[in-house]
Amino acid sequence: TSRRLLDKPTDASMRFSRGLSDTLPPLALDRASALIAELGGGRVLRGMVDDHRGALPPIPPIEIPDGALERVLGCPVDSSEAATALARLGFSVEQDGGALRVLPPHFRRDVRILADVAEEVGRSLGYARVPSTLPGRRRPATELAPHPPVEDRVRDVLVGAGLDEAITYSFTAVAAAARLHGLGEGRAPIPLRNPLSEDLSVMRTSLLPGLCGALGRNLNRGVSDVALFEIGRAYWEGERTAPPPGSTPDGADAALPPLPEEPLLLGMVSQTGDGRADTVAARLRDLQSVLAFAAHDLAGVSVTIEPQEIPGLRPGRSGRIIADGAAVGVIGELDPDVVDGFALRGRVAAAELRIDGLVPQVPPAPRFRQPPTQPAVQLDLSVTVPVDARMGTALEIAREAAGELLESIEDLDEYRGEATGTRKSWTFRLTYRAADRTLKMTEAQARHDAVAAALETRLGAEVRR
């Protein structure tokens, strides 16, 4: 009562609010008075001043039906043994066959129900008696487990590739949104009515400005070679085509202001501090590989990069990410002006992918594929090509020329230097396999030679011997 009136919590109020007995203070006072008289020569007067508005209600007895303790604890419990254990703890126990009538001691107001008594019995007799069982009810599996959220699947891929996750504000500055558009190209950011500050005055249309800000803060604190990703939503005004989640089926909320489209995006930035073109090119290939793996894992599709000039990205080192003929993202090196605008250092590779434009609404059911029973033949191919040649074009030519025996093709390396002059060098690894027989080396070499000839004819490649 004093705590509520004065709004001053005390140690006593905290203890009594947890259900301590009101019979404990007189016992404590008697003991303290005896110590004062014995050790300090004090004189104890009769009586006690008790500013207590009323005693707490008496503790009611608890009825324990026969077999109830066994059902709660999950192991056999003899009623006489339980009564003896409770009596040792100060409980008053009346036994009638297998049933018990238990009255807790005055200082155990926390024991109120059957489960409390069962806990005391189990603790006294030892929990080692309780057998180990699996939790919950067991039933046969009749369906597959639900798919994990797509964000978790993407996050697993990115973390496994060595990137660190960042979580940035859904708001950004007007200047930052205009400096780097990403997938928000051509879209005006939505202004806030009550912005927290000028730097957080509009809703973001891309994740890349926020990631660049996080990248800059890491660099300013001495972190080098930073690689960050973020999974989040952007806000595109006037592009929503379906009712937002939570809409009423009767259409009563149709008169409310329309909500923006909220696409689920993946943004990535990777910084290198040495300023070398070949280093940032390697970072771009790393991001491209991660995107390709994520697209295959999420939707079972292959992605290609179509070179294009993207605002905010360096010309000649930027392009759109294409999946099934549709543009689903952008990738490239940040333009030097953008790097300076965000107060970054070195060179930065960036990519942004629209996840919900890539992943189907209903995830495809998993299908079993028989592991290969025949050995594969792996052959490498190194060629030099014109400096403006496209990797995607080379891969398409190689797949067409190799035919059905080609299981996979992987670009291992790109080199530019004095040894190649005005050209660049690519190295591919091609895996050949026949499903019904052991593939002979002569067959694989014939397909390999066909790939080399097709690249020479259609791409102007020269095979490096």
Side-chain angles (χ1 to χ4, degrees):
T1 302
S2 300
R3 177 189 183 278
R4 290 194 299 268
L5 291 176
L6 303 177
D7 193 24
K8 290 186 177 297
T10 63
D11 183 66
S13 68
M14 295 296 290
R15 291 177 182 273
F16 283 102
S17 65
R18 289 173 171 80
L20 291 181
S21 173
D22 58 349
T23 61
L24 295 179
L27 297 177
L29 289 174
D30 288 344
R31 176 59 178 160
S33 300
L35 291 175
I36 292 173
E38 177 183 353
L39 303 177
R43 181 182 177 188
V44 181
L45 303 179
R46 293 183 178 180
M48 181 186 302
V49 178
D50 186 6
D51 186 11
H52 192 220
R53 295 192 175 185
L56 294 175
I59 303 174
I62 303 171
E63 303 291 340
I64 311 295
D66 186 13
L69 295 178
E70 180 175 344
R71 289 192 297 272
V72 173
L73 293 175
C75 63
V77 178
D78 182 74
S79 297
S80 298
E81 188 178 20
T84 301
L86 290 171
R88 286 199 301 265
L89 297 175
F91 289 75
S92 299
V93 184
E94 297 179 6
Q95 184 173 358
D96 183 8
L100 301 177
R101 181 182 176 88
V102 179
L103 181 64
H106 66 90
F107 54 84
R108 291 301 305 274
R109 301 193 67 89
D110 58 312
V111 180
R112 299 174 178 271
I113 58 177
L114 185 151
D116 297 333
V117 177
E119 181 182 3
E120 297 300 322
V121 173
R123 183 170 59 87
S124 179
L125 299 182
Y127 290 122
R129 290 191 178 191
V130 181
S132 299
T133 59
L134 294 174
R137 296 182 179 180
R138 271 74 68 195
R139 62 179 182 178
T142 58
E143 58 185 10
L144 296 175
H147 288 277
V150 64
E151 296 95 323
D152 291 348
R153 296 164 63 191
V154 176
R155 187 175 291 109
D156 288 344
V157 173
L158 274 294
V159 172
L163 282 79
D164 296 312
E165 184 174 11
I167 301 176
T168 64
Y169 285 107
S170 297
F171 317 132
T172 188
V174 176
R179 187 179 301 126
L180 183 57
H181 298 201
L183 285 177
E185 180 183 357
R187 298 178 170 95
I190 304 172
L192 299 179
R193 293 182 178 178
N194 55 341
L196 300 176
S197 67
E198 189 66 26
D199 292 337
L200 302 171
S201 59
V202 295
M203 302 294 289
R204 66 186 180 190
T205 58
S206 168
L207 305 183
L208 294 183
L211 279 174
C212 287
L215 176 62
R217 286 188 287 274
N218 278 269
L219 294 176
N220 291 338
R221 285 160 178 78
V223 184
S224 59
D225 292 340
V226 185
L228 302 176
F229 78 92
E230 181 177 11
I231 302 170
R233 297 192 178 275
Y235 304 90
W236 297 346
E237 189 173 18
E239 297 189 31
R240 181 178 290 278
T241 58
S247 298
T248 56
D250 58 1
D253 54 359
L256 298 175
L259 296 177
E261 177 71 352
E262 300 179 21
L264 182 63
L265 305 182
L266 163 65
M268 297 185 290
V269 292
S270 181
Q271 184 264 355
T272 174
D274 62 9
R276 294 172 52 186
D278 57 343
T279 306
V280 74
R283 296 298 178 91
L284 282 171
R285 287 195 296 272
D286 290 343
L287 296 186
Q288 183 178 349
S289 299
V290 171
L291 290 172
F293 186 89
H296 184 271
D297 183 64
L298 294 174
V301 299
S302 299
V303 296
T304 58
I305 307 300
E306 182 178 304
Q308 287 188 17
E309 291 193 6
I310 309 293
L313 301 181
R314 183 187 288 265
R317 285 203 167 178
S318 61
R320 299 199 181 275
I321 305 170
I322 307 298
D324 289 337
V328 294
V330 296
I331 186 172
E333 180 188 350
L334 293 190
D335 188 89
D337 292 338
V338 175
V339 173
D340 294 339
F342 283 104
L344 305 178
R345 297 189 298 274
R347 305 179 77 159
V348 181
E352 190 167 37
L353 177 72
R354 180 169 183 178
I355 298 175
D356 54 8
L358 181 69
V359 181
Q361 295 292 333
V362 179
R367 293 288 184 266
F368 172 77
R369 185 172 65 181
Q370 180 73 27
T373 58
Q374 303 298 332
V377 177
Q378 281 190 343
L379 296 174
D380 292 347
L381 177 63
S382 295
V383 297
T384 61
V385 295
V387 72
D388 58 348
R390 299 181 181 180
M391 177 66 73
T393 304
L395 295 176
E396 291 178 5
I397 294 173
R399 292 190 183 99
E400 292 177 8
E404 72 282 355
L405 293 182
L406 180 65
E407 183 177 81
S408 64
I409 179 172
E410 179 184 2
D411 55 304
L412 298 181
D413 183 44
E414 177 179 318
Y415 172 76
R416 304 186 191 195
E418 295 181 1
T420 58
T422 59
R423 298 167 68 84
K424 58 185 177 182
S425 173
W426 286 338
T427 300
F428 301 99
R429 174 160 294 168
L430 298 90
T431 302
Y432 302 92
R433 193 194 306 268
D436 56 346
R437 68 187 190 281
T438 298
L439 188 64
K440 296 181 179 179
M441 178 59 73
T442 53
E443 295 179 273
Q445 189 62 51
R447 297 299 179 96
H448 205 61
D449 294 341
V451 171
L455 291 174
E456 289 177 346
T457 304
R458 299 172 56 181
L459 200 64
E462 296 178 1
V463 179
R464 297 180 61 187
R465 304 297 180 181

